[in-house]
């Protein structure tokens, strides 16, 4: 009994020590002013500081007196935002305060708020982004305010890493990994049997989408879905002598661009895919649901075996043959 009591006492002591350690680590990660100020008070204080404009005459030197021990802070000088030899870098102007706001009395105890970025920031995403957009508002980001990311209150710092030598989202080797931390459904699709080669980094999300917004559906880089697809699949572009209406209308009528379990990224395998439109005419008057000829022979029916409808209608994207009205040649 004594042994059991001793073990329980030791376990409780370790549990308390672990909880205390976690609490202390969380306090270290959180900003000091978060414990005494609400998000609204932080925002109001920052607005007042900007109105007063009390910037440090020593710039980054004032900040580094306290923050130089942080590896994450010092990594800034490995990247473009910390480049001391570039006129486009914040280091050429207000330095750290160009992004984090006027120092004011922050260095007197560290409890006066500064602008912080990322998931731990109490500042609203639009406020964080306004800092970034003060420099990065150009023709590639002109539609940011109406973009999907802006409407979802996604902060720039949720995707971009400023305090780094190389921003992962700007590299073709790591861009897809960053995007799929949120877009998990697309991540699942791109690992299906047929997909664009995104998991091998031969394509990236930004090849088709503008993450900062565009005037097209789904923030596409081209005006329409088809124009985006034709930038690579030029052989499918018309005009054709005999056109297939769903193809000219929208490629995603038949294809899932992020991946599918069916051949050619089709949403549904033929003949079911074709019968969604072609029902009640000629030999499609009866639905063909199986892959056999009444169960007697495997692939014994031209309507269901092999490529199904495409066994005959092989030019499904359109035909230029004078006798290609039925897209057979």
């Amino acid at each position: 009994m004594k042994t059991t009591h001793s073990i329980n006492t030791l376990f409780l002591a370790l549990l308390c020590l672990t909880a205390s350690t976690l609490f202390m680590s969380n306090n270290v990660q959180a900003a000091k002013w978060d414990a005494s100020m609400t998000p609204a008070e932080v925002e109001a204080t920052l607005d007042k500081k900007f109105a007063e404009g009390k910037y440090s005459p020593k710039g980054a030197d004032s900040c580094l007196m306290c923050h130089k021990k942080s590896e994450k802070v010092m990594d800034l000088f490995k990247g473009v935002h910390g480049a001391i030899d570039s006129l486009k870098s914040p280091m050429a102007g207000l330095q750290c305060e160009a992004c984090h706001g006027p120092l004011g009395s922050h260095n007197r105890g560290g409890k006066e708020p500064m602008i912080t970025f990322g998931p731990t920031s109490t500042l609203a995403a639009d406020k964080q982004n306004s800092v970034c957009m003060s420099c990065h508002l150009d023709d590639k980001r002109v539609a940011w305010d109406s973009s999907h990311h802006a409407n979802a209150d996604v902060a720039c710092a949720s995707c971009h890493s400023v305090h780094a030598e190389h921003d992962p989202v700007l590299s073709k080797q790591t861009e897809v990994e960053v995007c799929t931390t949120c877009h998990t459904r697309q991540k699942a699709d791109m690992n299906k049997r047929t997909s664009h080669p995104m998991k091998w980094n031969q394509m990236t999300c930004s090849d088709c989408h503008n993450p900062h917004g565009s005037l097209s559906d789904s923030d596409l880089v081209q005006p329409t879905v088809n124009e985006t697809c034709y930038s690579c699949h030029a052989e499918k572009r018309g005009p054709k002598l005999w056109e297939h209406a769903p193809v000219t209308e929208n490629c995603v009528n038949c294809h899932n661009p992020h991946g599918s379990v069916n051949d050619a990224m089709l949403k549904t395998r033929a003949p079911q895919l074709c019968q969604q439109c072609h029902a009640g005419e000629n030999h499609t008057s009866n639905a063909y649901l199986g892959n056999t000829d009444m169960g007697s022979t495997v692939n014994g029916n031209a309507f269901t075996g092999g490529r199904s409808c495409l066994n005959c209608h092989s030019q499904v994207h359109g035909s230029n043959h004078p006798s290609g009205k039925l897209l057979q040649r």
Side-chain angles (χ1 to χ4, degrees):
M1 293 293 293
K2 290 184 178 180
T3 303
T4 304
H5 178 72
S6 299
I7 292 175
N8 288 338
T9 303
L10 178 61
F11 175 75
L12 288 172
L14 289 173
L15 184 63
C16 291
L17 179 61
T18 302
S20 176
T21 302
L22 289 172
F23 178 76
M24 290 177 64
S25 64
N26 286 336
N27 279 348
V28 170
Q29 292 177 357
K32 291 183 178 181
W33 50 85
D34 288 341
S36 57
M37 303 176 69
T38 65
E41 290 173 337
V42 171
E43 186 173 330
T45 304
L46 288 171
D47 289 340
K48 181 181 178 181
K49 288 180 65 177
F50 270 100
E52 294 173 350
K54 294 181 180 179
Y55 292 92
S56 169
K58 297 182 179 179
D61 289 340
S62 298
C63 306
L64 295 179
M65 288 179 64
C66 296
H67 294 287
K68 65 181 178 182
K69 294 181 180 179
S70 170
E71 183 177 348
K72 182 179 179 180
V73 170
M74 298 308 293
D75 281 345
L76 171 72
F77 297 99
K78 298 178 181 179
V80 294
H81 286 84
I84 60 176
D85 57 348
S86 173
L87 292 177
K88 296 182 179 180
S89 167
M91 289 297 125
L94 294 172
Q95 301 184 348
C96 304
E97 294 167 279
C99 298
H100 294 283
L103 182 64
S105 302
H106 172 74
N107 57 342
R108 299 174 187 175
K111 292 185 178 181
E112 186 176 278
M114 302 290 289
I115 297 176
T116 56
F117 300 90
T120 59
S121 176
T122 57
L123 203 60
D126 61 333
K127 290 289 185 179
Q128 296 181 47
N129 295 344
S130 65
V131 177
C132 306
M133 299 301 286
S134 63
C135 290
H136 293 284
L137 186 59
D138 54 23
D139 57 342
K140 293 181 180 179
R141 301 168 184 84
V142 69
W144 167 254
D145 289 334
S146 60
S147 70
H148 287 74
H149 283 137
N151 290 332
D153 289 330
V154 176
C156 302
S158 297
C159 303
H160 292 279
S161 299
V162 173
H163 283 256
E165 183 174 2
H166 301 291
D167 189 349
V169 79
L170 297 182
S171 170
K172 279 189 173 290
Q173 301 304 313
T174 51
E175 178 186 326
V176 175
E177 181 181 349
V178 175
C179 297
T180 52
T181 56
C182 292
H183 299 282
T184 53
R185 181 176 180 178
Q186 286 70 26
K187 182 177 183 179
D189 286 341
M190 62 183 257
N191 283 287
K192 291 179 179 177
R193 189 165 68 90
T194 59
S195 67
H196 282 113
M198 290 185 289
K199 58 185 176 183
W200 297 288
N201 300 317
Q202 294 175 6
M203 273 186 69
T204 61
C205 306
S206 59
D207 288 333
C208 299
H209 302 278
N210 183 345
H212 301 108
S214 74
L215 301 180
S216 308
D217 290 339
S218 301
D219 289 337
L220 293 172
V221 295
Q222 298 293 340
T224 64
V225 172
N226 283 21
E227 287 298 320
T228 303
C229 299
Y230 292 154
S231 61
C232 291
H233 302 282
E235 74 281 2
K236 302 296 190 296
R237 184 194 296 271
K240 303 279 188 179
L241 183 61
W242 305 104
E243 293 185 332
H244 193 186
V247 175
T248 57
E249 180 185 77
N250 197 329
C251 299
V252 299
N253 284 332
C254 299
H255 300 278
N256 181 347
H258 295 106
S260 170
V261 295
N262 303 301
D263 289 338
M265 295 187 288
L266 292 175
K267 288 184 172 180
T268 308
R269 61 156 296 174
Q272 286 88 348
L273 177 66
C274 306
Q275 288 173 344
Q276 291 176 4
C277 295
H278 300 282
E281 52 185 82
N282 300 328
H283 50 260
T284 61
S285 57
N286 296 319
Y288 295 97
L289 303 176
N291 193 36
T292 63
D293 182 12
M294 301 299 290
S296 59
T297 58
V298 176
N299 292 337
N301 191 327
F303 298 151
T304 59
R307 299 175 70 233
S308 188
C309 305
L310 277 69
N311 287 333
C312 298
H313 305 280
S314 57
Q315 303 302 312
V316 69
H317 290 99
S319 172
N320 279 320
H321 194 283
S323 298
K325 181 178 181 179
L326 299 179
L327 307 179
Q328 291 177 324
R329 60 185 73 190

